[in-house]
Amino acid sequence: MKKGDDDNFSLAFARIENHYFVNKGFFPKDSFLLDNVEKIRHINTAIVQGRYDACCPMMSAWDLHKAWPEAEFKVKRAAIVYVQHNVVPDAGHSANEPGITAELVAANERLKNLIKKREP
């Protein structure tokens, strides 16, 4: 059975998600992540953005990329860098969409390979 077909799961998921939306992700202000990017700049990161994401508009990813200039902004998969930005052309917000899932798995594989290269 798919989780979305389970009314109890759907209700619980909606409550949790809305709790975050109502509380603005528990950030003190909308620009908190951009204002504090220096605190996370050292972390290898992949930004995955769905082209049709209505919850997190493309401009949010672009603003993060501008604040984090090490980020490589590409519409398709790019070379391995510290931070990579992938726009998934046929996806929205959900990590369960095939395009988003594929990019998240690929990003984790790249990060795993970076860690392996650092190990003695």
Side-chain angles (χ1 to χ4, degrees):
M1 176 191 316
K2 293 181 182 177
K3 289 181 181 178
D5 294 336
D6 179 349
D7 289 343
N8 290 327
F9 173 84
S10 296
L11 180 59
F13 186 84
R15 284 182 173 159
I16 292 167
E17 190 170 66
N18 281 296
H19 184 63
Y20 275 83
F21 281 135
V22 167
N23 290 288
K24 298 182 178 186
F26 299 97
F27 289 138
K29 60 182 185 172
D30 289 343
S31 63
F32 183 79
L33 183 61
L34 297 176
D35 295 343
N36 291 281
V37 75
E38 291 301 322
K39 294 177 181 179
I40 60 171
R41 188 177 301 282
H42 66 285
I43 301 171
N44 291 323
T45 304
I47 302 168
V48 177
Q49 174 71 39
R51 170 66 181 90
Y52 299 106
D53 188 337
C55 299
C56 301
M58 183 76 69
M59 194 57 154
S60 299
W62 177 245
D63 288 344
L64 181 58
H65 167 69
K66 289 189 301 185
W68 204 337
E70 298 84 0
E72 186 172 331
F73 189 83
K74 297 283 183 180
V75 174
K76 289 290 183 182
R77 194 170 300 159
I80 296 174
V81 292
Y82 292 109
V83 178
Q84 181 172 339
H85 186 130
N86 293 306
V87 176
V88 183
D90 60 348
H93 184 77
S94 176
N96 295 321
E97 294 182 53
I100 297 288
T101 300
E103 289 298 332
L104 291 173
V105 169
N108 276 292
E109 286 298 315
R110 287 190 300 276
L111 293 172
K112 178 180 79 175
N113 290 332
L114 285 172
I115 291 168
K116 282 184 175 182
K117 287 179 184 178
R118 291 185 197 156
E119 291 177 352

